[in-house]
Amino acid sequence: MMEVPYFAFRDFVPGVQQQLEQALVQMAKRGNFILGKEVHSFQKEFAAYLAEGTTAIGVGNGYDALVISLKALGIGIGDEVLMPSNSYMATVNAVLQVRAKPVLVEPDAYTYNLTAANAEKAITPKTKAMLPVHLYGQPCQMGELMQLAAKYKLRVLEDCAQAHGATFKDQKVGTFGDAAAFSFYPTKNLGAMGDGGAVVTNNIIIADFVQQYCNYGQKQKYIGELVGVNSRLDELQAAILRIKLQHLNQYNTERQRLAKVYLKELQSIGDLILPRTADNCNHVYHIFNIRTKYREALQNHLSKSGIGTAIHYPMPVHLQPAYTFLGYQSGDFPVAEELADTSLSLPLFPGMTEVEQESVIEVVKEFYNR
């Protein structure tokens, strides 16, 4: 068997790597590295890609995008924010950073996403916002969630870190809620060559706050109108993202093609539970997650054959040592706990070869045929 990385940067669209290298050289020669032409152009282009009338503001990373969005939405001390119990710790940390209270909600057992039905059970008079996470590249059922938000007058912040370009009913994620947070971590569907993020909104007041807050609170240089922070998208990263954005749909289409092969070839193999795409959702497969009670044994078997895998996420937030103060116990979220015990992510990335994917499939089948 050949070695297959879990993820690799490949020149999937011929010539893009050369364009990226040229962009870095041009940036070095230009000598303008903070809030220059590249950032302003990327913000306009990314907003236009998502939807007409949308504003995108580049920030330092995806985590900052969450925190700044919560600040912009007026979420603060004592406010409760609903979120899925199976998300990455960054989502919880962002809510804690604004001194609000994260309220965990059991996800759907097959899409792994927050649902309106489960979220409504957790609403109290202190609930002020929902934070749906479009996990692994699959959009949440945003129609039902937005109806729930309207019913209870809740703010909605979408976590789009894993779902660049995904759509629900042909509308791109990041354009449903009051605001959305994107990460451009290098391995994302739209990734930079370092950290980067963006806040997206169609609300002028929110956009104005974010633009000031992430640049020390300045609207005019050296005049602080509010107490802000330094969280700005880097010019170098913006230059990279502008190039990659042109090919995002092509990258996503390739991820979907690879996923389709897995879904066909691994159907009805052992106890494998494969990803399910919900109605009206266009899944962009940032992660191809399978589930099996033999997770550790399968992962070891793949590793011995030279095939890389990952586990997203091995311990749910409510059971991690840092969050015991939230008061949750083992058994409170059985779906999230089962996902943590059984999930395994297979290699899937633009540029993955047919031979590499065939090797992964063959080794998985070999494991179950033993």
Side-chain angles (χ1 to χ4, degrees):
M1 288 294 171
M2 67 184 303
E3 290 195 4
V4 181
Y6 171 68
F7 180 88
F9 294 105
R10 303 266 175 86
D11 195 20
F12 170 66
V13 179
V16 168
Q17 184 62 32
Q18 185 178 1
Q19 291 179 46
L20 298 177
E21 293 171 1
Q22 289 174 346
L24 293 175
V25 172
Q26 289 170 2
M27 282 299 307
K29 290 180 178 178
R30 192 179 301 151
N32 184 0
F33 303 115
I34 303 293
L35 295 182
K37 184 192 80 170
E38 298 296 336
V39 168
H40 294 303
S41 295
F42 171 71
Q43 290 176 157
K44 290 181 180 179
E45 290 159 6
F46 188 54
Y49 171 80
L50 294 174
E52 184 179 351
T54 297
T55 300
I57 304 101
V59 296
N61 52 69
Y63 175 72
D64 284 358
L66 288 168
V67 174
I68 294 169
S69 294
L70 289 167
K71 287 268 190 182
L73 296 177
I75 306 303
I77 298 174
D79 294 337
E80 294 182 353
V81 181
L82 307 182
M83 66 184 64
S85 57
N86 60 318
S87 181
Y88 185 52
M89 66 185 76
T91 315
V92 174
N93 289 354
V95 173
L96 291 170
Q97 185 161 330
V98 299
R99 301 176 70 185
K101 180 182 178 181
V103 175
L104 304 182
V105 177
E106 192 80 298
D108 179 78
Y110 295 102
T111 66
Y112 320 139
N113 279 337
L114 182 70
T115 66
N118 287 350
E120 187 166 20
K121 298 173 188 174
I123 292 175
T124 75
K126 292 183 178 180
T127 306
K128 294 296 186 293
M130 286 192 297
L131 212 170
V133 179
H134 304 296
L135 197 67
Y136 301 159
Q138 171 153 222
C140 298
Q141 295 288 305
M142 291 308 299
E144 295 174 359
L145 287 170
M146 294 308 297
Q147 289 175 9
L148 182 66
K151 178 179 178 181
Y152 291 94
K153 295 182 171 59
L154 305 179
R155 309 307 295 266
V156 176
L157 168 59
E158 297 176 68
D159 185 335
C160 304
Q162 298 183 352
H164 311 70
T167 60
F168 174 72
K169 291 187 176 180
D170 296 323
Q171 181 177 340
K172 289 188 173 69
V173 300
T175 64
F176 291 90
D178 299 285
F182 284 85
S183 167
F184 302 125
Y185 187 78
T187 58
K188 303 297 187 183
N189 290 39
L190 178 60
M193 287 187 173
D195 275 321
V199 174
V200 171
T201 183
N202 59 9
N203 184 304
I204 296 174
I205 296 173
I206 292 173
D208 187 57
F209 174 90
V210 173
Q211 286 169 338
Q212 291 182 67
Y213 186 80
C214 69
N215 189 27
Y216 296 110
Q218 303 174 105
K219 198 168 189 177
Q220 178 183 346
K221 194 168 185 179
Y222 301 129
I223 306 297
E225 297 191 17
L226 54 87
V227 178
V229 298
N230 176 16
S231 181
R232 302 176 297 213
L233 180 62
D234 191 90
E235 274 284 287
L236 291 169
Q237 304 305 338
I240 297 301
L241 290 167
R242 289 188 69 196
I243 295 169
K244 289 192 172 183
L245 179 60
Q246 299 173 38
H247 306 288
L248 177 55
N249 288 344
Q250 193 171 352
Y251 293 143
N252 283 342
T253 298
E254 177 62 5
R255 287 177 177 273
Q256 292 167 334
R257 186 192 68 78
L258 291 166
K260 189 175 181 179
V261 174
Y262 276 142
L263 291 169
K264 177 183 177 182
E265 295 297 327
L266 297 179
Q267 190 69 38
S268 302
I269 300 295
D271 72 331
L272 287 184
I273 298 176
L274 302 178
R276 296 188 187 182
T277 300
D279 292 343
N280 301 309
C281 290
N282 182 39
H283 198 320
V284 294
Y285 293 100
H286 171 62
I287 289 167
F288 190 90
N289 180 79
I290 63 173
R291 289 158 57 196
T292 169
K293 63 183 177 181
Y294 306 112
R295 195 260 305 283
E296 279 71 25
L298 175 58
Q299 185 178 40
N300 288 335
H301 184 72
L302 287 161
S303 179
K304 289 177 181 177
S305 298
I307 295 171
T309 56
I311 297 176
H312 299 86
Y313 302 98
M315 181 182 291
V317 169
H318 69 284
L319 298 182
Q320 296 193 21
Y323 307 102
T324 55
F325 69 93
L326 293 176
Y328 296 112
Q329 305 293 327
S330 177
D332 284 348
F333 302 104
V335 172
E337 291 172 27
E338 192 272 342
L339 290 172
D341 289 340
T342 61
S343 291
L344 183 66
S345 303
L346 297 182
L348 188 153
F349 53 90
M352 184 181 190
T353 67
E354 182 178 351
V355 174
E356 287 175 328
Q357 190 172 31
E358 287 175 349
S359 294
V360 176
I361 293 166
E362 185 175 342
V363 173
V364 171
K365 288 181 177 180
E366 176 187 272
F367 173 80
Y368 280 102
N369 287 332
R370 291 187 309 174

